[in-house]
Amino acid sequence: MKTRKFILSEKEMPTQWYNIVADMKNKPLPTLHPGTKQPVKPEDLLGLFPKGIVEQELSTEAFIDIPEEVQDLYKVYRPTPLVRAYALEKALGTPAKIYFKNESVSPVGSHKLNSAIPQAYYNKLDGVKNITTETGAGQWGASMSYACKHFGLDLTVFMVKVSYEQKPYRKSMMNTWGANVIASPSTLTKNGREILRKHPNTTGSLGMAISEAVEVAMTQPNTKYALGSVLNHVILHQTIIGLEAEKQMEMAEAYPDIVIGCFGGGSNFSGIAFPFLKNTLREDKKIRIIAAEPASCPKLTRGTFQYDFGDTEGLTPLIPMYTLGHDFEPAAIHAGGLRYHGAGSIVSQLLKDNLIEAQAIPQLETFEAGVLFARTEGIIPAPESTHAIAVAIREALKAKEEGVSKNILFNLSGHGLIDMASYDKFFSGELTNYSVSADQILESTQRLSQIIL
Amino acid sequence: MKTRKFILSEKEMPTQWYNIVADMKNKPLPTLHPGTKQPVKPEDLLGLFPKGIVEQELSTEAFIDIPEEVQDLYKVYRPTPLVRAYALEKALGTPAKIYFKNESVSPVGSHKLNSAIPQAYYNKLDGVKNITTETGAGQWGASMSYACKHFGLDLTVFMVKVSYEQKPYRKSMMNTWGANVIASPSTLTKNGREILRKHPNTTGSLGMAISEAVEVAMTQPNTKYALGSVLNHVILHQTIIGLEAEKQMEMAEAYPDIVIGCFGGGSNFSGIAFPFLKNTLREDKKIRIIAAEPASCPKLTRGTFQYDFGDTEGLTPLIPMYTLGHDFEPAAIHAGGLRYHGAGSIVSQLLKDNLIEAQAIPQLETFEAGVLFARTEGIIPAPESTHAIAVAIREALKAKEEGVSKNILFNLSGHGLIDMASYDKFFSGELTNYSVSADQILESTQRLSQIIL
């Protein structure tokens, strides 16, 4: 009988993360201090992050050991399965072989725990007591809630207002794990009040929530900040996805021709893709790597490569990124985790160097893909993950048209059980596609601080 | 490093189900035809169920082959992990070793798929086109929705009204898999209208929903009925849980002293317990097996052993059961899957023969257990499953008090991500314990048809 799932034992779980910076010919441009415009130094970052995280953020080592305590907690849900999507293939009538890495089996329902666990761990190691963070759809906030509970840290989560309202269950999950959850923008911070003054009717954004969380971390005693995507250390932690998938594709006796991840800040995308891209960089192994972003927040396909802030109010270092401008306000799509204006410095450099590509998907196509996936493979995907599925379907249908077999691998970053209200709206015809005008992008990118590039 | 999860490969998945009837010294009393009061014959059941299911319902074979098509679909999520709950043990400071079988990893979030898949399969085999069923919390309805979609059958689900209102996301899941979901009691059936006439303000119950689903199956062409618990064939299918757990406990080099499952109609309880009870019946291996029922629906601890109907309106065969009376109206606790008046004939006989025991747990204790479990083991459990966790905690604390080490195994029948509204209510202090008066039980059991025993 055919094998559906390729499973690693706990003993086979990777014990190191992979840092692609070591293998990049063109290194990413340095992140700059917003005041001096000079490359950030470790001491610039230590106000926000613990020592272990700062080291990883600036590291150029190819492999970095995963601490035993982190490995141990990973084993609550890792290694995760790699699945051959026979039923989806059949429904599409494609000669392509479709595989997905199932990160939805984590207790929070997504890949975000992969970075939450080490971030909480390194803070604990430094004697930090309080953490602040932001969350979009709530996957990151939920992950930090569980990780902080485990390591005995207090957590405050600024949750993007539209998701706070659309996804009340995810707030409940954070509460169950003991976190304090605040709808952002809030009146609790100076930044929140300033944002509300400028945009009184805003539904919030990740950039705004970051401004609030960073402010609290900078002004409260014994408090540090944690970010769920974009930065190098987050992407490093997520490579456990692709490192496992690499072993599992070997078990399946196949190598991917195409690797796909949905794209918000880049963490799950980089996690699945970089270990395969390593083989391209080191051994010239041919592969296509596709980031699937929402058409309503198209920084990779329509953004500008420019230094920009990670947050709306301009508190973070300046990051060299493909960006729509840090005050770009994305439409209230249900894939809350993808509503972010920029991409991290590594991904941006790789895109500039044509080592990866990107596709922008309209909202309705993503839900159509999600429903087909649920009805075939059984798992109801998160609205974020449906973007990756939509691209996988596009590529599988292209393979069918061309009559060629391809190995397609995508990351199922999370399940959608907490997002059922968005499926209800899809079925009742309440969802629409959002388009972004060229003028809107021009307007928000023109405001960027004009530094080099 | 310690092993958290004991994982079987797909190749190690059991290929047969276990039928405990073969090994019972005192066989369960026969189920009776409600008209003739004679033991039901296969032909009496063929109106409601397909041939393969009827054969299993009446079988006395110890092992029954799992069809290849069923095995193949099981592999979407099976084998499921057996987990050592180190963090829970530590929080309790107990010398006991606590293990749980994690059935929450299925795409619907619970063990219910284990029977939905074969039931849909055998209907498909008989050329059936339409299925009706009932659902409490929605786990069974969601499972049948996915299984029917896979095998190309149309499904109508009567969902207990209180759960329909408390758990809208589970209705959305069923819709996503293409099922038609109706709040029960409804005005669409004769039985529904009759129930509403007698109890205009009822929040519904599984017994009522069964009456509606059975009526539709009996009156519509090419339509059969599927039940998610109680009956022998359902319990048979669920034994895959315990058969896997048996192998996994061997991997852990331990044998359980205590096995625990929450109890509604008996399917997950029997599933985890019977393969271990087999060793007791065959080899006299000592074990305690505990059913965890809600204090508000205490059929095992306070019910009567008597012939009774499986549904509220008296359409089903008469089943020899521990029962509170088929028109007992349980309080609107959040563990909707446990709001059922009776236990199946096998479990009832085993309880009568003292081969298993039962504990009734008040609602608040179950949520306290659920929160502790979430904060330690990471998984937010379904309100049903928290009953099993509560008993595991009771027994682990007892072991601590007595200073003895015990191996405790419980079934985590499902996760609670769709049930977060009940956790919200728990945290805000809105939940209470419901007590059932002796008079209430006396009243509803006195109405039972007085046949033999």
Side-chain angles (χ1 to χ4, degrees):
Chain A
M1 207 179 301
K2 64 198 178 193
T3 304
R4 279 187 179 268
K5 303 187 302 300
F6 300 91
I7 305 279
L8 299 171
S9 70
E10 290 188 356
K11 285 204 179 75
E12 293 168 299
M13 192 177 80
T15 56
Q16 296 186 310
W17 294 298
Y18 170 62
N19 178 13
I20 199 168
V21 172
D23 290 316
M24 287 168 72
K25 212 171 122 188
N26 300 328
K27 303 292 180 201
L29 295 173
T31 295
L32 304 182
H33 188 286
T36 66
K37 307 279 159 71
Q38 292 303 305
V40 290
K41 295 188 217 85
E43 50 270 33
D44 298 330
L45 297 174
L46 284 167
L48 282 181
F49 303 109
K51 204 165 126 275
I53 291 296
V54 171
E55 279 169 16
Q56 292 177 354
E57 184 62 25
L58 301 172
S59 171
T60 54
E61 291 296 310
F63 286 94
I64 294 175
D65 287 343
I66 306 175
E68 285 219 354
E69 292 86 338
V70 173
Q71 286 185 44
D72 184 47
L73 203 55
Y74 271 174
K75 290 178 182 170
V76 165
Y77 60 102
R78 304 209 71 86
T80 64
L82 180 89
V83 185
R84 171 85 184 270
Y86 288 108
L88 177 60
E89 290 170 17
K90 195 176 153 195
L92 297 171
T94 178
K97 290 175 184 162
I98 306 177
Y99 299 85
F100 64 93
K101 180 72 170 159
N102 185 3
E103 290 291 302
S104 80
V105 298
S106 97
V108 303
S110 83
H111 69 293
K112 290 289 188 187
L113 260 182
N114 299 336
S115 185
I117 291 169
Q119 290 199 49
Y121 167 78
Y122 288 113
N123 273 292
K124 170 78 178 176
L125 216 61
D126 274 12
V128 176
K129 293 285 177 224
N130 310 293
I131 309 276
T132 65
T133 195
E134 78 297 323
T135 199
Q139 300 269 24
W140 171 248
S143 300
M144 277 304 291
S145 301
Y146 170 53
C148 286
K149 173 56 70 182
H150 179 86
F151 288 110
L153 307 168
D154 282 337
L155 177 71
T156 299
V157 182
F158 290 90
M159 183 173 188
V160 175
K161 199 174 173 189
V162 59
S163 291
Y164 188 92
E165 285 159 6
Q166 279 173 350
K167 305 182 183 190
Y169 282 16
R170 220 165 250 131
K171 174 172 78 70
S172 313
M173 289 169 70
M174 295 184 240
N175 291 149
T176 302
W177 285 310
N180 178 25
V181 187
I182 295 159
S184 168
S186 77
T187 55
L188 294 179
T189 67
K190 198 168 138 287
N191 286 314
R193 291 190 294 273
E194 180 61 18
I195 292 164
L196 285 170
R197 196 184 58 74
K198 287 189 283 189
H199 312 276
N201 299 316
T202 183
T203 51
S205 72
L206 277 167
M208 295 176 189
I210 294 171
S211 293
E212 294 206 272
V214 167
E215 177 187 326
V216 174
M218 292 191 337
T219 53
Q220 297 296 316
N222 207 354
T223 302
K224 301 242 188 240
Y225 165 72
L227 185 70
S229 192
V230 181
L231 296 180
N232 300 358
H233 65 274
V234 184
I235 280 159
L236 174 78
H237 301 152
Q238 294 294 352
T239 58
I240 188 139
I241 302 171
L243 291 165
E244 284 181 7
E246 204 185 357
K247 292 188 181 191
Q248 290 165 309
M249 289 298 292
E250 262 175 51
M251 290 168 74
E253 296 175 7
Y255 192 83
D257 298 298
I258 303 172
V259 175
I260 303 161
C262 65
F263 200 94
S267 81
N268 99 84
F269 166 78
S270 308
I272 185 92
F274 287 2
F276 292 99
L277 197 50
K278 165 181 93 271
N279 305 330
T280 307
L281 297 174
R282 291 184 170 191
E283 303 160 32
D284 207 25
K285 267 202 163 182
K286 292 263 173 299
I287 199 165
R288 284 177 63 207
I289 297 200
I290 309 174
E293 68 180 3
S296 57
C297 195
K299 64 231 171 203
L300 298 177
T301 52
R302 298 173 64 194
T304 305
F305 187 45
Q306 175 65 273
Y307 269 98
D308 196 5
F309 294 106
D311 70 315
T312 304
E313 292 302 288
L315 300 185
T316 70
L318 285 159
I319 304 169
M321 47 162 64
Y322 277 90
T323 177
L324 297 166
H326 58 270
D327 58 0
F328 177 82
E329 267 201 89
I333 56 166
H334 281 265
L338 308 186
R339 295 175 72 247
Y340 186 68
H341 65 279
S345 60
I346 299 175
V347 166
S348 294
Q349 188 64 45
L350 293 170
L351 182 64
K352 190 157 181 285
D353 292 342
N354 294 315
L355 286 161
I356 62 172
E357 50 189 292
Q359 294 183 26
I361 323 284
Q363 180 162 260
L364 292 179
E365 183 179 342
T366 69
F367 275 91
E368 281 155 18
V371 170
L372 178 62
F373 185 75
R375 291 185 176 178
T376 50
E377 295 301 317
I379 303 166
I380 299 177
E384 290 81 5
S385 314
T386 60
H387 289 71
I389 299 170
V391 171
I393 291 173
R394 282 183 179 186
E395 295 296 329
L397 292 176
K398 208 171 116 190
K400 180 184 180 180
E401 226 176 79
E402 295 169 356
V404 293
S405 178
K406 288 271 164 75
N407 294 326
I408 300 173
L409 167 66
F410 71 88
N411 192 34
L412 183 74
S413 55
H415 66 64
L417 298 185
I418 302 293
D419 309 283
M420 292 315 301
S422 40
Y423 281 88
D424 285 350
K425 286 196 179 152
F426 173 67
F427 286 123
S428 66
E430 287 171 70
L431 292 192
T432 53
N433 290 328
Y434 293 97
S435 57
V436 184
S437 71
D439 281 355
Q440 192 187 342
I441 293 175
L442 192 66
E443 203 233 355
S444 62
T445 50
Q446 268 178 345
R447 281 194 297 271
L448 290 179
S449 51
Q450 300 294 327
I451 321 169
I452 27 179
L453 298 199
Chain B
M1 207 180 302
K2 64 197 177 193
T3 303
R4 279 186 180 268
K5 303 187 301 301
F6 299 91
I7 305 279
L8 299 171
S9 69
E10 290 188 358
K11 284 203 180 75
E12 293 168 299
M13 192 177 79
T15 57
Q16 297 186 309
W17 293 299
Y18 170 61
N19 178 12
I20 199 169
V21 173
D23 290 316
M24 287 167 72
K25 212 172 123 188
N26 299 329
K27 303 293 180 200
L29 295 173
T31 295
L32 304 181
H33 189 286
T36 65
K37 309 276 159 74
Q38 293 302 305
V40 290
K41 295 190 218 82
E43 50 270 32
D44 299 330
L45 297 174
L46 285 168
L48 281 182
F49 302 110
K51 202 164 127 280
I53 292 296
V54 171
E55 279 170 15
Q56 292 176 355
E57 184 62 24
L58 301 172
S59 170
T60 54
E61 292 295 311
F63 286 96
I64 294 175
D65 287 344
I66 306 176
E68 286 218 354
E69 292 86 338
V70 172
Q71 286 184 43
D72 184 47
L73 202 55
Y74 272 174
K75 290 177 182 171
V76 165
Y77 60 103
R78 305 209 72 84
T80 65
L82 181 90
V83 185
R84 171 83 184 270
Y86 287 108
L88 178 61
E89 289 170 18
K90 194 174 154 199
L92 297 171
T94 178
K97 291 176 182 161
I98 306 178
Y99 299 85
F100 65 93
K101 180 72 170 160
N102 185 2
E103 291 291 303
S104 79
V105 298
S106 97
V108 303
S110 83
H111 70 292
K112 289 288 188 185
L113 259 183
N114 299 335
S115 185
I117 292 170
Q119 290 201 49
Y121 167 76
Y122 288 112
N123 273 292
K124 170 78 176 175
L125 217 60
D126 275 11
V128 175
K129 293 284 179 224
N130 310 293
I131 308 276
T132 66
T133 195
E134 79 296 324
T135 198
Q139 299 269 25
W140 171 246
S143 301
M144 277 304 290
S145 301
Y146 171 52
C148 286
K149 172 55 70 183
H150 179 87
F151 288 110
L153 307 167
D154 283 337
L155 176 72
T156 299
V157 182
F158 289 90
M159 183 172 188
V160 175
K161 199 174 172 188
V162 60
S163 291
Y164 188 92
E165 285 159 5
Q166 281 173 349
K167 304 181 183 188
Y169 282 17
R170 223 168 246 129
K171 174 172 77 71
S172 312
M173 290 169 70
M174 295 185 241
N175 291 149
T176 302
W177 285 310
N180 178 26
V181 187
I182 294 159
S184 168
S186 77
T187 54
L188 294 178
T189 65
K190 198 168 138 287
N191 286 314
R193 290 189 296 271
E194 179 62 18
I195 291 164
L196 285 169
R197 197 185 57 76
K198 286 190 283 190
H199 312 278
N201 300 318
T202 181
T203 52
S205 72
L206 277 167
M208 293 176 191
I210 295 171
S211 293
E212 295 207 273
V214 167
E215 178 187 326
V216 174
M218 292 191 339
T219 53
Q220 296 296 315
N222 207 353
T223 303
K224 301 241 188 243
Y225 165 72
L227 186 71
S229 191
V230 182
L231 296 180
N232 300 358
H233 65 274
V234 183
I235 280 160
L236 174 79
H237 302 152
Q238 295 294 352
T239 58
I240 187 139
I241 303 172
L243 291 165
E244 284 182 6
E246 203 186 358
K247 291 188 182 193
Q248 290 164 311
M249 289 298 292
E250 262 175 51
M251 288 167 74
E253 296 174 8
Y255 193 84
D257 299 297
I258 304 173
V259 175
I260 302 161
C262 66
F263 200 95
S267 81
N268 100 84
F269 166 78
S270 307
I272 186 90
F274 287 2
F276 292 99
L277 196 51
K278 165 180 96 272
N279 305 329
T280 306
L281 296 174
R282 292 184 170 190
E283 304 159 33
D284 208 24
K285 268 202 161 181
K286 292 264 173 298
I287 200 165
R288 284 177 63 207
I289 298 201
I290 309 175
E293 67 179 5
S296 56
C297 195
K299 63 229 170 204
L300 297 176
T301 51
R302 298 173 65 194
T304 305
F305 188 43
Q306 176 63 274
Y307 269 99
D308 197 5
F309 295 106
D311 70 316
T312 304
E313 291 302 289
L315 300 185
T316 70
L318 286 158
I319 303 169
M321 46 163 63
Y322 276 91
T323 178
L324 297 164
H326 58 272
D327 58 0
F328 177 82
E329 269 201 88
I333 56 167
H334 280 265
L338 308 186
R339 296 175 73 246
Y340 186 68
H341 65 279
S345 60
I346 299 175
V347 165
S348 294
Q349 187 63 45
L350 293 169
L351 182 65
K352 190 156 181 285
D353 292 343
N354 295 315
L355 285 161
I356 63 173
E357 51 189 290
Q359 293 183 27
I361 323 285
Q363 179 161 260
L364 292 179
E365 183 180 343
T366 69
F367 275 91
E368 281 156 18
V371 170
L372 179 62
F373 185 75
R375 291 184 175 179
T376 49
E377 295 300 318
I379 304 166
I380 300 177
E384 291 81 4
S385 314
T386 60
H387 289 70
I389 298 170
V391 171
I393 291 173
R394 283 183 180 185
E395 295 296 330
L397 292 176
K398 208 170 114 191
K400 179 184 180 179
E401 225 176 79
E402 295 169 357
V404 294
S405 177
K406 286 271 163 73
N407 294 327
I408 299 174
L409 167 65
F410 72 88
N411 193 34
L412 183 74
S413 55
H415 66 64
L417 298 185
I418 301 293
D419 309 283
M420 292 314 303
S422 40
Y423 280 89
D424 284 350
K425 285 194 181 153
F426 172 67
F427 286 123
S428 67
E430 287 171 69
L431 292 193
T432 52
N433 290 328
Y434 294 97
S435 58
V436 183
S437 71
D439 281 355
Q440 192 188 342
I441 293 176
L442 193 65
E443 203 233 354
S444 63
T445 49
Q446 268 179 347
R447 280 195 298 272
L448 289 178
S449 51
Q450 300 294 326
I451 321 167
I452 28 179
L453 298 199

